[in-house]
């Protein structure tokens, strides 16, 4: 998905959650058959939301009701945060660029987090990137390779520091011509809200997989960490790494997730705000951390910053781990290197 909350023409991300199947297989292998505790059940459901496949598994009481609650919340939040839904709050901010627009506290929160990530990443992550994405046709799907002049002219609308937030009145103002796009962070934030609903209901074991933005509560039935497969960017139907997930989130940004090809060059959806071109240098970035919104934004930012600066960012931010893949190399942060299977 992308523009995470974009609609249409997305390449569905196949980061695969291997949990249940593996438990069962290994369980039988070791002579241990997984069982459910009396009074609790496990339910897994999949739906299409935010232009991607959303898969939820909940173990515990009333899983069906909880899962429906989460799906409803995801739909509501998408309706607020997608710039491709005409009556969303983000669409209103964009339509009324130049004026103050009242928004809900949640929308304000996502925008503020986006701006914080902008500052943290020196502008590699920039939620005002919308006009550049539109020029390339990401969003409409009518792809186009712009001229340098066209790029320079829309780049003038890109600067997260020009977004004004008035917390007291819960309102936001962007400059005229600027287009807000929360595609690099909204999906993560929405997954966090879903996880919060499940935690509030005291669910001890669950996961949400929204097109590769994966968050888990607790551990698997056999008390092992969940296991998540990370796609090979060169060959996205293959799994390249398997990593454990223990009450954490994992998000991957890749150049294979949404792109078009023109004259043998691949143009993908992660834009370097310094140039207006799709970021070159790495092919996928996976971030593991405590919350999905931050992992989501960081995966995009590290992708933009590339091999060296991206790695420096990961090393600088506490409590996040990463896998950075380029066409010739792989870097796995020390905390993750010990536990990743290749
Ligand atoms: P992700 O797949 O999480 O890396 O997010 C990619 C999406 O983030 C794109 O589809 C755009 O909606 C948005 N995006 C692209 N480039 C940037 C950027 N430099 N900063 C913030 N958001 C971006
Ligand atoms: Mg992201």
């Amino acid at each position: 998905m992308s523009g995470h909350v974009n609609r249409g023409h997305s390449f569905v991300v196949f980061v695969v959650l291997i949990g249940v199947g593996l438990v069962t297989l290994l369980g039988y292998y070791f002579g241990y058959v997984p069982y459910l505790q009396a009074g609790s059940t496990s339910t897994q459901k999949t739906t299409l939301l935010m232009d991607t496949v959303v898969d939820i598994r909940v173990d515990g009481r009333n899983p069906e009701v909880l899962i429906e609650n989460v799906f409803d919340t995801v739909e509501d939040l998408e309706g607020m945060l997608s710039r491709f839904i005409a009556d969303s709050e983000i669409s209103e901010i964009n339509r009324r660029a130049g004026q103050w627009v009242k928004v809900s506290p949640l929308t304000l929160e996502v925008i503020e987090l986006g701006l914080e990530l902008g500052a943290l990443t020196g502008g590699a992550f920039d939620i005002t990137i919308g006009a550049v994405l539109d020029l390339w046709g990401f969003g409409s799907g009518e792809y186009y390779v712009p001229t340098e002049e066209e790029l320079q002219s829309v780049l003038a609308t890109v600067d997260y520091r020009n977004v004004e937030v008035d917390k007291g009145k819960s309102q936001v103002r962007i400059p005229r011509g600027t287009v807000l796009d929360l595609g690099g962070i909204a999906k993560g934030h929405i997954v966090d809200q879903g996880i919060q609903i499940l935690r509030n209901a005291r669910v001890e074991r669950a996961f949400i997989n929204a097109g590769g933005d994966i968050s888990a509560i607790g551990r698997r039935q056999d008390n092992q960490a969940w296991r998540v497969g990370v796609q090979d960017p060169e060959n996205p139907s293959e799994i390249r790494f398997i990593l454990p997930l223990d009450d954490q989130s994992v998000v991957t940004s890749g150049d294979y997730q949404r792109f078009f090809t023109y004259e043998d060059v691949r143009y993908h959806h992660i834009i370097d705000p310094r140039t207006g071109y799709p970021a070159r240098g790495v092919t996928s970035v996976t971030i593991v951390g405590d919350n999905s919104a931050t992992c989501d934004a960081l995966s995009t930012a590290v992708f933009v910053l590339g091999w060296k600066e991206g790695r420096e960012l990961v090393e600088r931010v506490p409590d996040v781990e990463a896998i950075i893949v380029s066409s010739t190399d792989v870097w796995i942060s020390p905390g993750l290197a010990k536990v990743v299977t290749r």
Side-chain angles (χ1 to χ4, degrees):
M1 100 171 208
S2 113
H4 278 306
V5 257
N6 288 10
R7 293 198 165 277
H9 47 255
S10 109
F11 231 76
V12 173
V13 189
F14 284 111
V15 176
V16 179
L17 209 87
I18 312 170
V20 193
L22 214 65
V23 176
T24 314
L25 281 176
L26 290 177
Y28 282 109
Y29 184 74
F30 291 111
Y32 160 84
V33 180
Y35 62 94
L36 292 169
Q37 287 157 343
S40 78
T41 49
S42 167
T43 302
Q44 186 158 355
K45 287 196 164 192
T46 301
T47 192
L48 270 173
L49 281 168
M50 307 185 288
D51 189 32
T52 195
V53 179
V54 180
D55 189 26
I56 302 180
R57 173 181 160 175
V58 172
D59 290 8
R61 289 174 198 284
N62 295 324
E64 307 260 345
V65 176
L66 282 172
I67 290 174
E68 283 316 313
N69 266 348
V70 175
F71 282 154
D72 288 348
T73 302
V74 171
E75 204 170 349
D76 289 350
L77 295 179
E78 182 189 10
M80 288 158 67
L81 300 175
S82 171
R83 73 184 179 100
F84 299 102
I85 294 179
D87 62 357
S88 74
E89 296 193 329
I90 298 304
S91 291
E92 195 180 355
I93 295 172
N94 285 338
R95 220 173 9 249
R96 292 176 48 205
Q99 301 168 43
W100 286 103
V101 175
K102 279 219 180 299
V103 294
S104 59
L106 190 125
T107 299
L108 201 75
E109 198 183 300
V110 187
I111 291 173
E112 281 190 300
L113 186 63
L115 298 176
E116 271 172 41
L117 266 299
L120 181 73
T121 63
F125 187 79
D126 195 322
I127 57 173
T128 62
I129 197 76
V132 182
L133 291 160
D134 287 345
L135 182 60
W136 285 96
F138 292 106
S140 69
E142 287 164 30
Y143 299 121
Y144 167 70
V145 179
T147 64
E148 189 63 37
E149 255 182 354
E150 287 170 322
L151 276 176
Q152 289 312 320
S153 114
V154 290
L155 274 176
T157 70
V158 177
D159 191 339
Y160 70 94
R161 289 167 298 191
N162 295 334
V163 175
E164 296 170 277
V165 171
D166 176 350
K167 239 183 145 160
K169 292 187 179 158
S170 195
Q171 56 185 9
V172 179
R173 179 164 68 180
I174 59 172
R176 287 181 68 156
T178 291
V179 179
L180 219 53
D181 178 284
L182 299 181
I185 191 171
K187 191 164 65 169
H189 192 81
I190 291 174
V191 168
D192 285 336
Q193 300 300 308
I195 288 289
Q196 198 51 52
I197 290 175
L198 300 177
R199 286 197 198 278
N200 290 347
R202 307 217 180 290
V203 165
E204 285 174 15
R205 185 185 353 272
F207 71 71
I208 301 179
N209 178 1
D213 277 36
I214 298 171
S215 285
I217 297 180
R219 303 182 131 218
R220 297 186 319 202
Q221 192 80 38
D222 61 355
N223 204 32
Q224 299 292 307
W226 300 96
R227 296 170 77 73
V228 175
V230 179
Q231 283 164 279
D232 182 352
E234 307 287 317
N235 192 358
S237 58
E238 304 275 312
I239 298 294
R240 174 124 177 225
F241 308 98
I242 296 179
L243 50 90
L245 204 64
D246 190 348
D247 232 354
Q248 288 164 304
S249 300
V250 58
V251 178
T252 298
S253 288
D255 67 357
Y256 55 89
Q257 290 171 341
R258 177 185 289 228
F259 65 89
F260 67 95
T261 307
Y262 179 71
E263 293 183 342
D264 291 336
V265 181
R266 177 185 288 196
Y267 297 95
H268 61 78
H269 68 318
I270 302 171
I271 304 291
D272 186 337
R274 298 168 291 197
T275 64
Y277 281 93
R280 301 284 180 215
V282 303
T283 50
S284 100
V285 173
T286 299
I287 303 280
V288 182
D290 304 332
N291 79 81
S292 185
T294 308
C295 290
D296 194 358
L298 283 177
S299 70
T300 311
V302 170
F303 195 106
V304 168
L305 289 170
W307 190 251
K308 183 169 170 287
E309 281 181 85
R311 178 176 159 170
E312 284 163 7
L313 176 64
V314 172
E315 285 170 338
R316 186 154 55 84
V317 179
D319 302 325
V320 302
E321 301 290 340
I323 304 176
I324 304 179
V325 182
S326 76
S327 54
T328 53
D329 223 340
V330 176
W331 178 72
I332 307 183
S333 60
L336 207 54
K338 291 174 271 184
V339 293
V340 164
T341 324
R342 299 182 189 223

